[in-house]
Amino acid sequence: MNIVSTLRKSRLTVAAASVAVFALALSACGNGSGSGGGGQDKAKAAGITLVKPGKLTVCTHLSYKPFEYKEGTKVVGFDVDLLDLLAKDLGVEQEVISIEWAQVTSGAAYDAKKCDMGMGAMTITASRKAAIGISDPYMDATQVLLVKKGAPYKSLEDLKGKKVGVQADTTGKDYATAASKKIGFEVVVFNDLALQTNNVKSGRVDAAINDNGALFNFVQANPDTEVTAEFNTGEQYGFAAKKDDPSGTKLLTRFNGLLTKAKSDGTYNQLFKKWFGVEPKK
């Protein structure tokens, strides 16, 4: 499905693991009814051992609006709402922790027991599937080109000799890097989405490539920018957990069942419209 017209979707690639940065942004976002023993008992009954009793601890790299970002003291977004379905089913609360993205996609975060699952509009790739457990796809995605409104860049070929911003450890970075070798533009890497997009606005880079969902959302709030091209990369998003681990596997299986139910009873469409303004294309 696409979010809007044809333009919209995707992100990210693996990268080498790394040093533990564990930046902050804790936020209880779930509405789980259990807050300790009951929820933990329910998880245990399902054969799932959570890293924190009474919590479904989820790692991501903030901010990636509208999928996961802070609103006041809480982390909210489409991904958060989807994983809240799992938290509620287990009778626990969801707690979101923001860390380096490479730890989420490489599996280092789960090996270190920092979290039970990972989210972040994460594109399912072969290299990620080799390193981590991944849920069924929950959304299609693609890459798009962001420029300052009125800029003469309608394709990557128009950017020969120019600077194109990308986000570290993303499929957008991979796509731009491959294209730069053929076309001849400079790839400038930023650590997060906010840095990337703000450097388009400031003119430090001439354009940026990232997921359609995130960049269309950015354009809505920043009318001095626009998306001028979509690259049909055929990506799909999934949630992550520890690979070949009993609890991780059961969490993913349980979520897959909840996702199927949400798509059949209308819950998925309601959440999609809540965060993207339209229902998903069929």
Side-chain angles (χ1 to χ4, degrees):
M1 76 212 68
N2 265 335
I3 302 172
V4 184
S5 65
T6 359
L7 304 172
R8 295 203 165 188
K9 308 176 176 191
S10 176
R11 105 164 170 183
L12 324 184
T13 244
V14 190
S18 35
V19 193
V21 177
F22 238 0
L24 44 54
L26 275 67
S27 168
C29 9
N31 297 315
S33 57
S35 59
Q40 184 70 351
D41 289 346
K42 194 171 180 179
K44 281 184 177 178
I48 297 168
T49 302
L50 300 172
V51 297
K52 291 182 184 177
K55 305 280 187 184
L56 177 67
T57 309
V58 180
C59 288
T60 189
H61 180 74
L62 298 176
S63 164
Y64 206 72
K65 192 176 182 179
F67 296 91
E68 42 270 317
Y69 64 100
K70 293 193 79 171
E71 198 169 78
T73 59
K74 296 186 69 176
V75 179
V76 299
F78 182 58
D79 287 353
V80 177
D81 277 359
L82 285 179
L83 285 187
D84 237 6
L85 298 177
L86 177 59
K88 289 177 181 177
D89 187 60
L90 292 173
V92 299
E93 292 184 344
Q94 183 183 170
E95 181 176 272
V96 180
I97 298 174
S98 183
I99 66 172
E100 180 187 24
W101 180 241
Q103 292 191 56
V104 179
T105 56
S106 68
Y110 323 115
D111 292 341
K113 298 188 182 303
K114 292 177 178 177
C115 46
D116 303 296
M117 297 190 71
M119 67 179 176
M122 184 185 72
T123 299
I124 300 171
T125 66
S127 57
R128 285 174 179 163
K129 290 177 74 173
I132 55 178
I134 302 181
S135 72
D136 290 344
Y138 66 86
M139 182 174 167
D140 295 337
T142 193
Q143 302 294 316
V144 297
L145 185 68
L146 176 76
V147 302
K148 291 180 76 171
K149 196 170 186 67
Y153 310 122
K154 309 299 182 187
S155 70
L156 289 178
E157 285 73 18
D158 295 335
L159 287 156
K160 184 176 182 179
K162 304 295 183 181
K163 295 180 179 179
V164 177
V166 298
Q167 184 176 351
D169 305 320
T170 68
T171 49
K173 174 178 176 291
D174 293 344
Y175 184 81
T177 300
S180 71
K181 294 174 182 174
K182 298 177 182 176
I183 298 170
F185 56 79
E186 180 183 351
V187 174
V188 181
V189 182
F190 298 100
N191 286 333
D192 58 43
L193 178 67
L195 282 172
Q196 181 192 26
T197 50
N198 286 331
N199 273 281
V200 172
K201 287 172 68 77
S202 71
R204 182 185 171 194
V205 294
D206 301 286
I209 294 176
N210 208 318
D211 292 10
N212 57 339
L215 291 189
F216 272 103
N217 182 275
F218 180 80
V219 167
Q220 286 179 354
N222 296 270
D224 57 335
T225 63
E226 61 181 329
V227 169
T228 57
E230 179 184 24
F231 313 112
N232 188 14
T233 52
E235 299 172 53
Q236 291 183 305
Y237 293 153
F239 294 112
K242 187 174 182 180
K243 186 179 178 69
D244 298 328
D245 173 75
S247 291
T249 301
K250 287 173 182 174
L251 282 170
L252 293 174
T253 300
R254 203 171 179 105
F255 172 76
N256 290 340
L258 292 167
L259 178 62
T260 298
K261 182 175 181 295
K263 286 186 173 181
S264 65
D265 68 12
T267 300
Y268 180 90
N269 282 13
Q270 291 173 9
L271 294 178
F272 196 99
K273 188 170 184 178
K274 171 184 175 182
W275 293 106
F276 301 109
V278 295
E279 291 197 351
K281 286 187 175 181
K282 297 181 180 178

